[in-house]
Structures are given as structure tokens and as C-alpha cells.
Amino acid sequence: MKAFAKVIYVLVVWTQLNHSISAFTKLSLSSSKYVSWTLDNKNGSIKVPASVPGGVYSDLMKAGIIGDILKGFNDVKTRWVAYDEWTFTGTFNVTEDQLGSAVARLVFHGVDTFARIMLNGNMLDLTNNMFVRYVYDVKQHLKVGLNEMELKFRSPVEAAKTRSDHHFAAPDCVPPEYNGECHVNQIRKMQASFSWDWGPAFPSVGIWKPAEIEFYDVAILRTINVKYEKRDAFWDLKIINYLESNMATKTINVTVHAWIKLEGNQTLHVEKEFNVESKDGLYTEVVIDMKISENDVRLWWPNGYGDQPLYDLFVAVYTVKDYSQVHKRIGFRTVKLVQTPVAANSSASQGLTFYFEVNGYPLFMKGSNWIPQHVLPEYSYEKSRTKQLLKAAVDVHMNMLRVWGGGLYESEYFYELCDEYGIMIWQDLPFACSMYPVDSDFLDTVRLEVTQKVIDLQSHPSIVLWAGNNENEAALRGNWYSTNSDFNKYKAEYIQLYVTTIKPIVETLLGPNSYLVSSPGNGLESEAEGYIALNPYDPHFGDTHYYNYVADNWDESTFPLTRFASEYGFQSLPSLSTMKKAAEKPEDFSLDSEYSKHRQHSPNGYTFIKVQMDKRLHLDKNDTSYFEKFVFYSQISQAMVIKTQTEFYRQSRDKWHTMGALYWQLNDIWQAPSWSGIEYGGKWKMLHYFAKRFFAPVLVSPAQVSPGVVAVYLLNDRLVPIINATIIVDVYRWDSLTPIMTRTFQADAPALSASRLKDEINLWKNNTSSIFIKFSLRAEEIDSPVNYFFPKPLKSIEGLQKPQISIYVRKPKKVGREYRYKVVARVDAVVLFLWLEAENITGYFEDNGFIATTPVGAQTYFRTKTQMKPEELRQKITYQYYFH
Ligand SMILES: *[C@@H]1O[C@H](CO)[C@@H](O)[C@H](O)[C@H]1NC(C)=O
Ligand SMILES: *[C@@H]1O[C@H](CO)[C@@H](O)[C@H](O)[C@H]1NC(C)=O
Ligand SMILES: *[C@@H]1O[C@H](CO)[C@@H](O)[C@H](O)[C@H]1NC(C)=O
Ligand SMILES: *[C@@H]1O[C@H](CO)[C@@H](O)[C@H](O)[C@H]1NC(C)=O
Ligand SMILES: *[C@@H]1O[C@H](CO)[C@@H](O)[C@H](O)[C@H]1NC(C)=O
Ligand SMILES: *[C@@H]1O[C@H](CO)[C@@H](O)[C@H](O)[C@H]1NC(C)=O
Ligand SMILES: *[C@@H]1O[C@H](CO)[C@@H](O)[C@H](O)[C@H]1NC(C)=O
Ligand SMILES: *[C@@H]1O[C@H](CO)[C@@H](O)[C@H](O)[C@H]1NC(C)=O
Ligand SMILES: *[C@@H]1O[C@H](CO)[C@@H](O)[C@H](O)[C@H]1NC(C)=O
Ligand SMILES: *[C@@H]1O[C@H](CO)[C@@H](O)[C@H](O)[C@H]1NC(C)=O
């Protein structure tokens, strides 16, 4: 449909200009139709077919030279790959017609990382940054007929070492538990590819994004930067168009047409002619302005607050000979990161606020942190996985993800889906947990990288903030890497990189207030304190990261206040079914196994899980299924800790202006203990099911204010108030499905608020070991999940009965390509954390991890592409729950 409209438009323009123009042509170097690639190692012992986009590890897997890299100890066993030297050779034919163009430009969208690029024996470049797009004039090197391209890659491990010898920046290396490689901070490569505390080292090598040769005559449109600002009843659009031409072109004469499709099938056209001086063939800017009435577009809202209307914007550029076009889908919203003084005598003490105002409303950010979806960059942009993960975020009411600084700039598709789903993106630049060098080679490539990426990505309405780095301010101030003796040197270098070099690039492209120097930090206060604040974790300013593995984290009084929690988390183990995809022997399934030790990169990780678990749950050392229960209990522990902490942050909205809760971490990169809520492969841990409840827009949320005294909050994340709702408080004994007492409270709540009820629930005279409380809400047109409060650690409760559980499965309904089976678990006693599994069937439960307090203990749906009799499914369903 759109393509059709486009063609018509081109024809119209064609006749208007009366020139024989045509779209420029591309020769894809990523298609086996036009080019055949091979890969060989330094001594020639290996020669296999290669893929572009691709990489060495995936090519060697496809050729059967190495096995599944995520199995067993293969991260270490295949490390030789990262030390060897690899050459990609591609041969392709060029036609006379193609060479008839005045310009031939070779474009690599992603080279990972240190390649010497040769074309027919002519050296074009030595690359050094996997994030940038490399463009070369190659007309003089091409010939009609067969051509040969060669990319010879240095070992990234060795390149990092060589650079470190000249430009050392702390740390020396990652901890030994990581089985990683050193000095990744020296090179512009995904920082997690040399290992992290949740991931293996696979120092990848390859042409990880598409490549092509472009043929044209004068100039083409490479990319556009759309700036928009609301002024009175209008949106002022400023479209900065970046032209490319060959180096020899001095002036470019173009006609630019921009058109946008608005509400009611209106299309707004703007056309303008330019005669501009070329900037060495790269990034020649021509600007088009548009004025759009606010009545012609609808606002873009984050998930949970409204729709995400997107509008097609096209820009076409015509020269006397060429035609090229860029298409973006843009959304209209205003976003402001508000950092204004807090009234000194208010409950929020003093300092600055730190919150996002979207379309004029202060919104609480609910979400998590995104790590790369695969350790190999060539697999990290896979659409099905991207969609599965982002859909999972939307399904649990998330409205923000922080794309963390040790990973990648994500794919266009990733940001397009975030635009569609209403997931706002806090984008860290890829610098994390290190000091960084500032030699001129490094700064030059960083400048190019940041300029390209900010221009390419900024038109996405989902991207709301760019942050300079992850934890580097805190690392320097906290002396994480023994940098104190060189503090001033490192501080100067920090300022040179994130402030002098990067900040002006981002702010020139996006305007003031679009760049946060570090996360976590004190925001404007860090800047006022010379960029390395005395306490980057000051709760009165900016964002914080908070981890405490030894406190009793089911007790919310343990958590420090914050304006914005951009990281907090707790580890758990992946389920046995996910582990089975990587563990090879039955002996692996034990905490003491070599396998388990190998996968746990967090120093003392299992001890911390056990310490946390032991505070609230009881697991007998001699239990015959100790490991299986440890895995399950670790997920219960993680889910409850993050639930408690997240609700604490939501409750603190009014009293401390806390305005964000992004827990660490959404996804996983392999099958290993980690902080994730979703396992590698896509299976939800108990945490992710819990997130659906603790992030619900309206929630009744308890807080123990002193032993036996419970305050009740009504959390309202809607743009409208809650009027005359009823909060129902049921007190149960652990030994019965009938509440011993029920009280109700009338409650109102303003829009966007966390209201604390005047009444408290006082249990102090009761024997609190034998009771628990259930909270629910009755209000018109509001769906709110039930919530619970357990006054005593579950390990010391009294009266819990061993339940009888019966599973029922109904006939399925077909939804798309899936079958949706209703599954009911009937119970005769209270059941804690009832967890259903459908063994050996690929599929998932829509809800799980139930607290059963009624005879119909759990009701959910199982989704699968497999059709079977309900009875067949019933027999496959197994369950676990907490009991001691
Ligand atoms: C060639 O390189 C491979 C892979 O690095 C190595 O295993 C092999 O021993 C080398 N062969 C010779 C003859 O050096
Ligand atoms: C290039 O063209 C020749 C002659 O038509 C053909 O034999 C060869 O397969 C082509 N090579 C590629 C890589 O397409
Ligand atoms: C630029 O191109 C237009 C046609 O698109 C032509 O009318 C005009 O003379 C050209 N100007 C120059 C300086 O070449
Ligand atoms: C817009 O155009 C489409 C197809 O041309 C038509 O189906 C639709 O009804 C139109 N909508 C409005 C609001 O005019
Ligand atoms: C804070 O101080 C201001 C001015 O001194 C006063 O008007 C206001 O009522 C005070 N607010 C509170 C919560 O005490
Ligand atoms: C576990 O078993 C050992 C030996 O069978 C026994 O000595 C120990 O008391 C048991 N511990 C518990 C907590 O039951
Ligand atoms: C509030 O709701 C209660 C029942 O939940 C009802 O009896 C009462 O009339 C309502 N009050 C108003 C003002 O709507
Ligand atoms: C226990 O709590 C319930 C509900 O608050 C109350 O009705 C009851 O009197 C309490 N029992 C004692 C012994 O305090
Ligand atoms: C609570 O009640 C149980 C019996 O229901 C009793 O065994 C236990 O000692 C009581 N605990 C306290 C602290 O009174
Ligand atoms: C699942 O498959 C495994 C291996 O094929 C088998 O041992 C196990 O009994 C199966 N479980 C169920 C519930 O069918």
C-alpha cells in the first residue's frame, strides 16, 4: 500500500523535474546470490563458508568445527577462536552498467572489530569500532567482472592487550570467576563480549551487519534527524537531512521532498531546493521545516497511559541523476527529565527531583534493564527473540527499559517495536564499569560513533534519555579498581571523554537536557560537583543502583530511599528445564559441581542466594531433592525480594518523589545463575510473573511500619483518580481457607499517586506466626491484583497444611497458531507459590507462582502450538510449592 503510493509520487516528481532520474542501485555483499564468502584462520588449517552478516563463532558452529557454544564449558574450550587470526574473503561480480555510475561507495554497517580491509589488493582501511558505519569511495578500485574483497581480522583480545600496553586504564582484568579476557575497555566493542558477572566471554569477530556497494551519480540521502518541539497549538518539525556524495563533489544541487501522513488521511508535503557545499562527502546537511497543527496528530503515550499512534514520514532527495529516500515512523510526545529543587521542609527532605514528565504528566517509570539478547552480535538482532522479550515487558506493565552500557546499540527493529509498544528507552552509551582511555584514536572513533548512532536512532519516540556510561562515576569515586592514587588523572580523563567530547555531540543533536553524564549519579548535582560527586549514590539526587545480598530483603525497612532506582536486583538459578539445555551430565545438577561453579560468575553468588533464602524459607540440607528445591526456592526468594523492593519504591512516590523502579535485569545471555526475570530461551522465572502484579497500574500494597503494624497504600498510576473504592483486608490462619476476619476501608486516590490510608492494620496482640493478610480492591472498572503480607518469615509459620492439589484441563481454544488450554488447580489448603510446569511440551503458562487461598487455588491458561487431548496435557502437568 505504502510502496504503491510512493511509486505514484516518484512519477509525479519525475514529470515535474523533466529529468531522467532513477533510484540509486545497491550491490548487496550480504546475499549469497551476489557474493560468496569464505573464512580461514591464520595457518590455513580451517577453511569454511562464511556468512555476512555473521561471525566466526557462528560460522564455525555451522561448519561443525565447534559445537553449541553455550553448552557445558564450551566458552572456555572454544577460546582459541578468539586468539587466532581470521580472514573473510568475498568474491563478487560488478557489471559495466554499475561501473558507469560516477560514484561507487562501499558501506559496512558493522565490522567487529579490527579488520584490515582490502579490495582487489588495495588497502582501504584498518577498522577499530564495531558500532560505526564505515563508508569508502571505491570506484577507482573496482573492475568489471570478478572482484575480491578481503577482511583480515586481528584477535580482539590481542588488540585490547596491545592498546592497554600503550594507554592503560584500570581495571587490570575481570575477576577470575568470569573466565573472561582483559582490557575490553580499550576497544570499541560490546563490553560484555569479554565476559560479565552474568555472562560468558566470546570475543567475537566478523562482519556482523549487512554490507553493500552503492552506485549513484551525484548524492544520496543517508539518514535524517527529526527534531520536534511543541509551540502553542503546533508541532514544529525540523528535519535535518544528511547527504552523502563522493569526496570529489564540491557542491550538491538537490531537491528535497518531505511528506508526512497525518490523521484523517491528510498528507502534508514540503519541497525545497538546495545548492550546498559538500562536507567531504559525508554528512552534508540540508534542513526542511514543517509545521503541524496539534489537531492533525494524536499524542504518543507510554504503555499503560494511552495509545502509541505513529506517523509515516518520508524524505526523498532528487539530484539531476539520482533519487533516494528515507522512511521513519515518528510519534508526537514531549518528554522532560525534571530536576528541580525539592522543598527543604517537605517529607522529601532537600535536593533535586529526578523524574520524567511525559506529555506534561509526571509518570512513574516501571521496568527493567536490558542486556544483549545474545552474546554473539550476529545473533543479537534476531527479530523473533526481540519481539518475545519486548512483548514480555509489555505484558507485565513495564513502560521503560534501560539499554545497559555494557551492551549494544540495539537494532532498528528493537526501537521500532518499543515505539509500537510504548516502552520508553533509557539508552546508555556503551561504556561500563571501567576507566577509559582518551588517546586521540580512541576519541576520534568515539566521536564518529556517537554522532552516527544518535542521528540514526533519535527519531524514535521511545528513546527518552541518553546516558554517558554505566557506573563509571561511582567506580572512580568508590575506588573500585584501586584508582585513588591516580584519582585526578582519571577524573580529568573521565571529564574529557563524557563531558568535553560526548556531551556536546548529544546536546547539539538533541538539545539541552537530553544527556545524563553517568548512571548512577546525582544528575545536575554531579555536574555541579565537578562530575565526580562525593557520593554518587546520594538519595536526594539523580538515580541509584542498590544491591544488598545480606539484609533481610523481605522487610522493606531495609531499603534506602531514592529519587529513581535504575538498578536493583537479586540472583536466582534458571529452571531445570533451561539448565538441561546446557548441562551435560547428571552430576552437573548440584551446587558443588564443576559445572555449577563454572556458570556462577558472581563471587560468592550461591552463598548470597542461600543466605537470603535462609532468612525466610526453610530448606533441609538432607532433603532428597535438595538441588531441585534450591533452584525453585531461589526463584521464590528473588521474586519476593524484588516485589518488596519495587512496591517500596512505588509507595515512596509521594513521600520522597521516587519516580522509577527499573530492576536488574530483564533477560539472560546463557543458562546460568543471574539476576534475570526471564531465562535464556524465553521462559519466565517466578519474578517475571510477579512483575505483572507488582507493576499493576492500581495496587493495594502493604508496608510493615513496626512489628505487627501494617500500613496500607493505594497505588494509582492512572491519569484519573480512584473514587470510592473499597479495600478489602482478609486475615487468614495458615491452616484454613476461610478468613478469620475481614475488614473493609473506603478509599480514594488522586491521579498518579501513592496514597497511604489513615488506618493501619494492627496485629500485635495476635500470634503472628499463624496468620497472614490478603489485600484486594473493589472499584468500578478497575482490575487490580490481590496482594499479600506475611508477618513472620515463612520458615517459622505455624499451621500450614500439606495440601491436596487436583489439576483440571479444559478443551482448548485456538488463538492464532496457538492452542489455549484453561488449567485449574483445586486445593484443600493454603498453598504457597504454587508453580505449574508442563514437562516436555513447548509452551507457557499465562500466569504462575500462585498464592492459593480459595478452593479454586489457581486458574490460568497454558499456550502451546501442540494440539492434544486435555487429559494428555493434564498428565504432563507437574507442580511444586513451598512447604516444610
Ligand atoms: C593451526 O591453527 C589451529 C587453530 O588455532 C591450531 O589448532 C593448530 O594447531 C595450528 N596448526 C599448526 C600446524 O600450527
Ligand atoms: C561472476 O561471473 C562469472 C561469469 O559470469 C561466474 O562464473 C561467477 O560464478 C560469478 N561469480 C559470482 C560470485 O557471482
Ligand atoms: C540546480 O538544479 C535545478 C534543477 O533541479 C536547476 O534548475 C538549477 O539551475 C541548478 N542549479 C545549479 C546551480 O546547478
Ligand atoms: C483513509 O483512506 C483509506 C483508504 O484510502 C480509507 O479506507 C479510509 O476510510 C480513509 N479514512 C478516513 C478517515 O478518511
Ligand atoms: C515549608 O515551608 C514553607 C515556607 O517556610 C511553608 O509555607 C510551608 O507550609 C512548609 N511546608 C511544610 C510541609 O511544612
Ligand atoms: C543429615 O543427615 C546426617 C547424616 O545422615 C545427620 O547426621 C544429620 O543430623 C542430618 N541433618 C539434619 C538437619 O537432619
Ligand atoms: C461508595 O461505595 C459504597 C459501596 O461500595 C456505596 O454504598 C456508596 O454509596 C458509595 N458512595 C458514593 C458517594 O458513591
Ligand atoms: C487478632 O486479630 C483479630 C483481627 O484484628 C482480632 O479481631 C482479634 O481480637 C485478635 N486477637 C487477639 C487475641 O488479639
Ligand atoms: C502461636 O500459636 C501456636 C499454636 O497455634 C503455638 O504453638 C506457638 O507457641 C504460639 N507462638 C507464640 C509466639 O505465642
Ligand atoms: C519428559 O521426558 C523425559 C525424557 O524424555 C522423561 O524421562 C520424562 O518422564 C518426561 N516427563 C513427562 C512428565 O512426561
Side-chain angles (χ1 to χ4, degrees):
M1 235 290 288
K2 267 168 222 144
F4 182 66
K6 210 155 70 190
V7 170
I8 300 273
Y9 195 73
V10 172
L11 290 177
V12 171
V13 171
W14 189 324
T15 49
Q16 277 172 358
L17 295 179
N18 201 18
H19 281 296
S20 57
I21 56 164
S22 58
F24 75 100
T25 58
K26 288 183 188 179
L27 169 61
S28 168
L29 300 180
S30 332
S31 162
S32 54
K33 219 164 112 192
Y34 304 114
V35 58
S36 84
W37 287 99
T38 55
L39 169 66
D40 48 16
N41 66 337
K42 185 170 188 177
N43 67 21
S45 63
I46 297 169
K47 191 176 176 89
V48 297
S51 310
V52 173
V56 170
Y57 283 103
S58 54
D59 285 337
L60 295 178
M61 270 197 283
K62 284 180 210 154
I65 300 210
I66 56 175
D68 177 350
I69 59 163
L70 296 186
K71 274 211 160 141
F73 296 75
N74 283 352
D75 57 323
V76 171
K77 287 185 186 157
T78 61
R79 192 63 52 81
W80 59 270
V81 173
Y83 305 147
D84 209 333
E85 185 184 282
W86 298 93
T87 303
F88 287 78
T89 309
T91 51
F92 54 94
N93 285 318
V94 172
T95 65
E96 211 163 316
D97 219 28
Q98 286 168 327
L99 266 194
S101 308
V103 183
R105 281 214 148 181
L106 172 63
V107 183
F108 282 104
H109 293 276
V111 178
D112 175 21
T113 295
F114 295 92
R116 188 192 69 183
I117 304 180
M118 307 278 286
L119 176 57
N120 294 329
N122 304 291
M123 188 174 125
L124 299 180
D125 198 8
L126 295 169
T127 65
N128 64 355
N129 188 333
M130 79 178 280
F131 304 119
V132 308
R133 176 173 56 241
Y134 286 103
V135 183
Y136 308 104
D137 274 336
V138 292
K139 186 172 154 77
Q140 71 275 30
H141 303 311
L142 289 173
K143 55 188 191 216
V144 173
L146 206 60
N147 289 261
E148 188 182 272
M149 180 98 69
E150 183 197 275
L151 283 84
K152 192 188 279 290
F153 285 87
R154 264 184 93 185
S155 156
V157 177
E158 197 195 287
K161 168 85 175 62
T162 311
R163 275 193 44 84
S164 178
D165 291 344
H166 294 97
H167 313 284
F168 176 79
D172 274 326
C173 199
V174 292
E177 288 89 346
Y178 290 19
N179 303 308
E181 298 294 340
C182 317
H183 308 303
V184 74
N185 54 341
Q186 292 292 337
I187 61 180
R188 294 312 296 142
K189 180 173 174 61
M190 179 174 101
Q191 300 289 283
S193 78
F194 277 33
S195 78
W196 215 263
D197 57 3
W198 37 255
F202 283 100
S204 53
V205 159
I207 305 165
W208 72 290
K209 290 189 185 182
E212 67 242 349
I213 302 175
E214 299 169 338
F215 299 98
Y216 55 90
D217 283 310
V218 182
I220 58 160
L221 178 58
R222 169 66 65 205
T223 183
I224 64 176
N225 171 6
V226 190
K227 283 179 165 177
Y228 53 100
E229 215 174 315
K230 185 82 189 298
R231 255 191 252 279
D232 304 322
F234 288 91
W235 292 92
D236 283 339
L237 244 64
K238 186 175 171 151
I239 307 166
I240 305 168
N241 305 283
Y242 296 93
L243 307 177
E244 279 189 17
S245 55
N246 74 354
M247 306 282 278
T249 308
K250 291 286 174 264
T251 51
I252 310 176
N253 189 7
V254 291
T255 305
V256 179
H257 290 260
W259 68 103
I260 183 166
K261 303 186 80 178
L262 305 171
E263 290 296 315
N265 287 353
Q266 305 176 71
T267 304
L268 181 67
H269 295 267
V270 176
E271 176 183 318
K272 217 169 152 184
E273 280 185 26
F274 297 90
N275 202 325
V276 286
E277 237 173 85
S278 161
K279 278 195 199 159
D280 292 338
L282 276 174
Y283 290 103
T284 304
E285 295 175 22
V286 292
V287 178
I288 290 267
D289 294 306
M290 277 188 177
K291 204 175 180 70
I292 296 172
S293 160
E294 67 175 1
N295 299 324
D296 289 339
V297 293
R298 289 181 301 132
L299 286 177
W300 183 95
W301 288 97
N303 179 34
Y305 296 95
D307 296 340
Q308 292 79 38
L310 297 169
Y311 299 92
D312 288 303
L313 170 69
F314 295 90
V315 179
V317 165
Y318 303 86
T319 72
V320 280
K321 294 274 192 67
D322 317 292
Y323 156 76
S324 55
Q325 178 179 294
V326 166
H327 168 219
K328 303 259 179 190
R329 297 183 79 201
I330 63 171
F332 292 84
R333 90 291 184 266
T334 60
V335 175
K336 222 162 59 187
L337 176 57
V338 180
Q339 300 184 66
T340 50
V342 163
N345 56 357
S346 72
S347 64
S349 188
Q350 36 80 32
L352 296 176
T353 61
F354 187 93
Y355 66 88
F356 292 90
E357 195 179 87
V358 185
N359 297 329
Y361 292 90
L363 300 186
F364 192 100
M365 299 295 119
K366 296 183 289 196
S368 186
N369 284 266
W370 172 278
I371 64 165
Q373 55 186 43
H374 201 283
V375 68
L376 299 182
E378 61 266 34
Y379 290 153
S380 68
Y381 281 11
E382 271 181 12
K383 288 188 172 179
S384 58
R385 205 187 284 115
T386 307
K387 185 163 190 170
Q388 183 185 32
L389 287 170
L390 289 177
K391 181 76 173 42
V394 170
D395 283 348
V396 303
H397 309 292
M398 291 186 179
N399 57 21
M400 178 177 265
L401 290 172
R402 172 170 173 261
V403 176
W404 162 78
L408 298 166
Y409 301 93
E410 288 296 329
S411 63
E412 264 301 316
Y413 180 72
F414 172 92
Y415 299 103
E416 281 167 11
L417 271 189
C418 291
D419 295 343
E420 278 178 35
Y421 288 161
I423 302 272
M424 290 178 281
I425 296 299
W426 166 319
Q427 178 74 46
D428 281 1
L429 292 169
F431 299 89
C433 298
S434 288
M435 306 298 111
Y436 279 84
V438 291
D439 54 286
S440 60
D441 281 354
F442 193 83
L443 292 183
D444 284 348
T445 194
V446 164
R447 256 182 228 113
L448 179 63
E449 169 194 328
V450 175
T451 304
Q452 281 188 359
K453 297 317 292 189
V454 174
I455 289 175
D456 285 352
L457 295 176
Q458 61 75 41
S459 71
H460 292 284
S462 53
I463 302 179
V464 297
L465 183 69
W466 293 80
N469 65 72
N470 170 76
E471 298 183 351
N472 296 352
E473 178 185 349
L476 179 54
R477 174 54 75 197
N479 193 30
W480 293 3
Y481 309 122
S482 308
T483 48
N484 271 358
S485 56
D486 284 326
F487 181 86
N488 287 331
K489 166 185 170 284
Y490 278 121
K491 179 177 171 181
E493 292 176 353
Y494 178 97
I495 292 172
Q496 189 176 0
L497 179 58
Y498 306 110
V499 183
T500 317
T501 305
I502 297 178
K503 192 172 193 268
I505 298 176
V506 180
E507 292 189 342
T508 302
L509 289 166
L510 301 181
N513 208 6
S514 52
Y515 179 72
L516 184 69
V517 182
S518 184
S519 168
N522 296 343
L524 294 178
E525 175 63 16
S526 278
E527 300 198 19
E529 291 181 30
Y531 300 101
I532 305 293
L534 270 178
N535 172 18
Y537 295 102
D538 191 328
H540 301 88
F541 303 96
D543 62 327
T544 56
H545 293 181
Y546 175 77
Y547 295 93
N548 183 340
Y549 305 142
V550 294
D552 175 6
N553 290 312
W554 294 34
D555 173 359
E556 69 168 67
S557 67
T558 181
F559 303 122
L561 286 155
T562 177
R563 301 285 188 231
F564 196 108
S566 53
E567 275 193 27
Y568 56 101
F570 200 80
Q571 273 202 338
S572 68
L573 276 73
S575 65
L576 294 183
S577 63
T578 293
M579 259 184 83
K580 279 176 190 156
K581 305 222 161 76
E584 289 164 318
K585 305 187 294 288
E587 315 76 279
D588 293 341
F589 295 81
S590 142
L591 287 180
D592 305 322
S593 68
E594 283 309 309
Y595 172 86
S596 292
K597 285 182 200 153
H598 184 76
R599 295 262 157 169
Q600 176 57 281
H601 285 189
S602 182
N604 301 315
Y606 293 122
T607 307
F608 288 132
I609 294 174
K610 186 166 183 313
V611 162
Q612 191 62 221
M613 200 189 282
D614 286 349
K615 289 190 190 294
R616 292 282 169 164
L617 307 173
H618 176 73
L619 177 55
D620 197 315
K621 278 206 298 282
N622 291 355
D623 196 296
T624 50
S625 359
Y626 181 81
F627 184 70
E628 191 182 346
K629 285 194 181 166
F630 191 92
V631 169
F632 179 55
Y633 288 14
S634 78
Q635 293 205 5
I636 295 174
S637 186
Q638 179 197 33
M640 284 299 294
V641 165
I642 304 303
K643 167 203 186 298
T644 311
Q645 196 164 354
T646 305
E647 290 184 25
F648 168 72
Y649 294 137
R650 292 189 66 186
Q651 290 165 8
S652 309
R653 175 184 182 125
D654 292 354
K655 66 171 177 258
W656 192 261
H657 297 306
T658 302
M659 288 298 279
L662 312 179
Y663 63 77
W664 186 267
Q665 70 204 63
L666 181 77
N667 53 321
D668 254 342
I669 213 160
W670 70 336
Q671 310 88 342
S674 89
W675 297 256
S676 80
I678 301 178
E679 298 173 2
Y680 181 75
K683 185 173 175 182
W684 292 13
K685 288 180 178 173
M686 196 174 292
L687 167 59
H688 203 75
Y689 287 105
F690 269 47
K692 195 172 191 167
R693 300 169 212 156
F694 63 64
F695 279 150
V698 175
L699 185 68
V700 183
S701 175
Q704 176 163 285
V705 287
S706 60
V709 181
V710 181
V712 182
Y713 284 84
L714 179 53
L715 308 176
N716 182 19
D717 275 353
R718 307 181 322 152
L719 299 173
V720 290
I722 298 172
I723 296 160
N724 195 29
T726 306
I727 291 174
I728 303 153
V729 178
D730 291 310
V731 179
Y732 284 82
R733 288 172 57 96
W734 286 110
D735 62 7
S736 167
L737 288 174
T738 310
I740 52 168
M741 189 213 73
T742 296
R743 281 179 69 187
T744 60
F745 302 89
Q746 292 308 114
D748 297 330
L752 304 173
S753 69
S755 315
R756 181 171 162 174
L757 259 63
K758 282 198 194 68
D759 298 279
E760 287 167 348
I761 319 271
N762 194 329
L763 298 166
W764 68 276
K765 282 184 193 142
N766 267 297
N767 180 341
T768 49
S769 305
S770 47
I771 61 163
F772 67 98
I773 314 175
K774 175 166 122 183
F775 299 89
S776 41
L777 186 78
R778 200 167 53 220
E780 233 169 281
E781 289 175 17
I782 297 177
D783 243 349
S784 171
V786 294
N787 205 346
Y788 296 92
F789 179 75
F790 307 137
K792 280 279 151 80
L794 298 178
K795 65 182 177 185
S796 56
I797 58 174
E798 284 149 5
L800 189 64
Q801 305 293 302
K802 186 101 187 154
Q804 289 289 327
I805 298 173
S806 324
I807 304 290
Y808 299 85
V809 179
R810 305 263 153 77
K811 265 196 230 140
K813 285 215 171 75
K814 202 155 182 217
V815 184
R817 273 182 288 163
E818 289 180 338
Y819 296 91
R820 191 165 181 254
Y821 295 82
K822 184 166 190 179
V823 176
V824 175
R826 291 190 71 87
V827 302
D828 66 349
V830 172
V831 188
L832 282 169
F833 309 106
L834 176 61
W835 181 260
L836 306 174
E837 295 263 359
E839 261 190 70
N840 304 343
I841 305 175
T842 309
Y844 61 96
F845 288 96
E846 288 180 8
D847 197 1
N848 217 337
F850 306 93
I851 310 292
T853 55
T854 56
V856 176
Q859 275 197 71
T860 183
Y861 291 88
F862 182 72
R863 281 186 181 239
T864 176
K865 289 192 177 129
T866 316
Q867 190 178 15
M868 67 202 117
K869 293 209 179 78
E871 176 56 19
E872 235 173 291
L873 175 58
R874 193 190 65 79
Q875 284 175 10
K876 301 266 189 208
I877 292 178
T878 61
Y879 51 78
Q880 284 168 286
Y881 53 87
Y882 175 76
F883 193 77
H884 62 259

Tab-separated table of all heavy atoms in Angstrom, residues 42 85 275 687 818:
chain	number	residue	atom	x	y	z
A	42	LYS	N	44.613	-18.363	10.497
A	42	LYS	CA	45.948	-17.877	10.151
A	42	LYS	C	46.804	-18.933	9.464
A	42	LYS	O	47.400	-18.675	8.417
A	42	LYS	CB	46.661	-17.374	11.411
A	42	LYS	CG	47.998	-16.736	11.103
A	42	LYS	CD	48.570	-16.028	12.319
A	42	LYS	CE	49.818	-15.242	11.926
A	42	LYS	NZ	50.333	-14.500	13.077
A	85	GLU	N	43.783	-15.643	14.087
A	85	GLU	CA	43.579	-14.502	13.184
A	85	GLU	C	42.703	-15.015	12.047
A	85	GLU	O	42.988	-16.065	11.470
A	85	GLU	CB	44.946	-14.064	12.658
A	85	GLU	CG	44.930	-12.831	11.807
A	85	GLU	CD	46.337	-12.544	11.271
A	85	GLU	OE1	47.160	-12.017	12.027
A	85	GLU	OE2	46.578	-12.871	10.088
A	275	ASN	N	21.359	24.215	-2.838
A	275	ASN	CA	22.630	24.171	-3.535
A	275	ASN	C	23.679	24.353	-2.441
A	275	ASN	O	23.920	25.452	-1.982
A	275	ASN	CB	22.668	25.336	-4.539
A	275	ASN	CG	23.673	25.051	-5.626
A	275	ASN	OD1	24.705	24.439	-5.365
A	275	ASN	ND2	23.377	25.498	-6.822
A	687	LEU	N	9.844	-14.367	39.131
A	687	LEU	CA	9.941	-12.906	39.196
A	687	LEU	C	9.127	-12.225	38.097
A	687	LEU	O	8.428	-11.245	38.353
A	687	LEU	CB	11.421	-12.477	39.087
A	687	LEU	CG	11.684	-10.990	38.840
A	687	LEU	CD1	11.095	-10.128	39.948
A	687	LEU	CD2	13.189	-10.716	38.724
A	818	GLU	N	-1.729	-20.792	18.106
A	818	GLU	CA	-1.566	-21.495	19.385
A	818	GLU	C	-2.887	-22.044	19.908
A	818	GLU	O	-3.957	-21.533	19.582
A	818	GLU	CB	-0.999	-20.525	20.431
A	818	GLU	CG	0.442	-20.152	20.200
A	818	GLU	CD	0.979	-19.181	21.243
A	818	GLU	OE1	0.172	-18.472	21.890
A	818	GLU	OE2	2.190	-19.131	21.401
